[in-house]
Amino acid sequence: MSETILVVNAGSSSIKFQLFAIRKGSDLERSLKGQIEGIGTHPYLIAKNPKGEVVIDETWPAPEVDDVPAALDKVIDFLRSHVGKLPIGIGHRVVHGGPRFSEPVIVSAAVVDQLLEYVPLAPLHQPNNLRPIRVVLERQPHLMQVACFDTAFHRGHPEVADRYALPEAYYAAGIRRYGFHGLSYEYISGRLREQAPELAKGRVIVAHLGSGASMCALVNGKSVESTMGFTALDGLPMGTRPGQLDAGIVLYLLGEKKVSAKEVEHLFYHDCGLKGLSGLSNDVRDLLASPDPRAKLALDYFAYRIALFTGQLAAAMEGLDAFVFTAGIGENAPAIRAAVASKLNWLGFKLSSKANEKSDLVISRKRSRVVGLVIPTDEELMIARHTLGALHEHAAAA
Ligand code: ADP
């Protein structure tokens, strides 16, 4: 039985997890993928092996799994019985590494304290991400844990890309353009190096289009600009978030409309974006299938904004060599890719409809100046790699 790495992505009412076996030469092979959801309401654990076969499918009464520690216990119990032994390390997705963390870090109580400082920067995600880390630290202090950040990949941005035009004190207080989805972009950057090494050295836009969506400008594989900023609300419209907004709208809602800050937060995170514009659904599949003109408006807006931000990111790189689509929508919705590509025709992106329909690796025509690609992302594998790397470094330093 080989050693394993567990990858954990914890939300408010769910914990997603994946188990990777460590093969010869530090290769990682996914052996399980699962999640426990409905924590506190109708707890439900399901996990599948790589063949897609269900290996556990269990529910409990709500009081038995009413918080994250109890849910984590169920996951650990399952791993113990199914795999036989605990992983040698746990890699956690943590949304915010603040200004301090530009790479993954082995977690100690001191690191947790530092990460708790960033809770105000990501109030909806950071506490949930940290919860299982703290539970394991208390209960199994010898189990190595590694925090992997969605912000870290963007920490090398030039200063002009890191700032808002606010007085210095605000920058010092952490109001910066962090950028998110960094684990996805880092994975794509690596895949591009393997699959198209010449392009990887150039100027590439990656569009991570999932229920959260952003775009990243890569020069020679490094992030130089992102459409997301201080929080994951900025940039592209998303399933339920509006993307870029005039800050005056917030002042108007708070001052004139007397909407509370909590209500504005709820509006911006849950009721805007594709859902708000269409009044129908946050899911692109529903909108593509709908004859309702509001569904069309929402999708048109999405493609329009992707094209607008392409101009911005291309300007940051002073050119564009390749455009990569990834994540749920980017990987699976040829119609959205076609809508974006048609708006980027002027930039030299010439789509091959046939390759696009098949979601081939290369979806542009041979003579297209900008090469269009579809590359599936794998944030969990990225976290597992980081975790194994951090454990190796730790062992070498000991
Ligand atoms: P998350 O950000 O939650 O990880 P994903 O990257 O899995 O999200 O993307 C989820 C979104 O992808 C869904 O909300 C849906 O809009 C979209 N999606 C998934 N499959 C398809 C498909 N076949 N066609 C169009 N859109 C899809």
Side-chain angles (χ1 to χ4, degrees), residues 102-131:
S102 55
E103 46 189 56
V105 61
I106 292 185
V107 178
S108 62
V111 167
V112 170
D113 286 344
Q114 289 171 341
L115 295 178
L116 282 168
E117 286 174 26
Y118 304 141
V119 165
L121 301 185
L124 299 187
H125 295 103
Q126 191 84 342
N128 298 322
N129 298 159
L130 296 182
R131 201 71 212 282

Side-chain angles (χ1 to χ4, degrees), residues 1-4 19 79-87:
M1 179 78 224
S2 46
E3 306 281 17
T4 58
L19 195 72
L79 290 177
R80 274 217 176 92
S81 66
H82 184 79
V83 186
K85 62 180 174 182
L86 287 179

Side-chain angles (χ1 to χ4, degrees), residues 222-397:
K222 302 257 181 302
S223 167
V224 297
E225 183 55 277
S226 157
T227 58
M228 275 183 172
F230 178 57
T231 69
L233 279 179
D234 204 358
L236 297 178
M238 300 168 229
T240 58
R241 289 171 257 169
Q244 186 185 38
L245 281 178
D246 180 341
I249 295 172
V250 182
L251 299 179
Y252 176 78
L253 291 175
L254 294 174
E256 297 295 322
K257 292 288 178 188
K258 308 293 177 215
V259 180
S260 73
K262 270 279 153 224
E263 285 166 333
V264 174
E265 180 181 271
H266 191 273
L267 170 71
F268 287 171
Y269 277 96
H270 300 289
D271 289 332
C272 294
L274 300 177
K275 179 181 170 195
L277 259 181
S278 70
L280 296 168
S281 170
N282 62 323
D283 194 312
V284 165
R285 283 166 291 201
D286 296 339
L287 299 178
L288 284 170
S290 168
D292 193 313
R294 293 173 303 162
K296 182 175 177 320
L297 170 67
L299 295 177
D300 285 350
Y301 185 88
F302 189 53
Y304 173 64
R305 286 272 148 186
I306 294 168
L308 278 187
F309 279 110
T310 299
Q312 219 174 71
L313 298 186
M317 299 187 288
E318 299 181 24
L320 181 64
D321 301 309
F323 191 107
V324 180
F325 290 92
T326 193
I329 302 163
E331 293 166 27
N332 299 303
I336 300 293
R337 294 194 299 255
V340 172
S342 82
K343 292 188 189 308
L344 300 180
N345 218 318
W346 68 276
L347 253 178
F349 186 161
K350 313 275 184 233
L351 191 74
S352 155
S353 304
K354 214 165 126 199
N356 183 44
E357 283 306 318
K358 290 191 289 168
S359 298
D360 283 350
L361 170 65
V362 176
I363 56 168
S364 51
R365 284 188 236 146
K366 274 215 177 66
R367 292 225 301 280
S368 181
R369 212 182 47 69
V370 172
V371 181
L373 300 120
V374 178
I375 303 182
T377 195
D378 196 340
E379 290 151 292
E380 291 77 15
L381 179 57
M382 200 66 237
I383 294 171
R385 283 183 189 153
H386 278 313
T387 303
L388 187 59
L391 297 189
H392 282 161
E393 267 179 38
H394 179 77

Side-chain angles (χ1 to χ4, degrees), residues 34-71:
Q35 62 189 67
I36 183 160
E37 47 185 68
I39 298 170
T41 51
H42 19 77
Y44 169 51
L45 170 62
I46 184 161
K48 294 180 182 173
N49 65 19
K51 289 186 203 144
E53 293 159 356
V54 174
V55 292
I56 185 170
D57 181 350
E58 202 171 337
T59 55
W60 296 273
E64 200 178 326
V65 187
D66 60 356
D67 58 8
V68 166

Side-chain angles (χ1 to χ4, degrees), residues 190-247:
R191 285 299 282 160
L192 206 56
R193 236 182 358 258
E194 290 164 6
Q195 297 186 297
E198 279 312 308
L199 279 182
K201 291 183 202 152
R203 298 158 298 184
V204 179
I205 288 176
V206 185
H208 176 106
L209 310 177
S211 50
S214 74
M215 290 158 69
C216 175
L218 297 176
V219 174
N220 194 16
K222 302 257 181 302
S223 167
V224 297
E225 183 55 277
S226 157
T227 58
M228 275 183 172
F230 178 57
T231 69
L233 279 179
D234 204 358
L236 297 178
M238 300 168 229
T240 58
R241 289 171 257 169
Q244 186 185 38
L245 281 178
D246 180 341

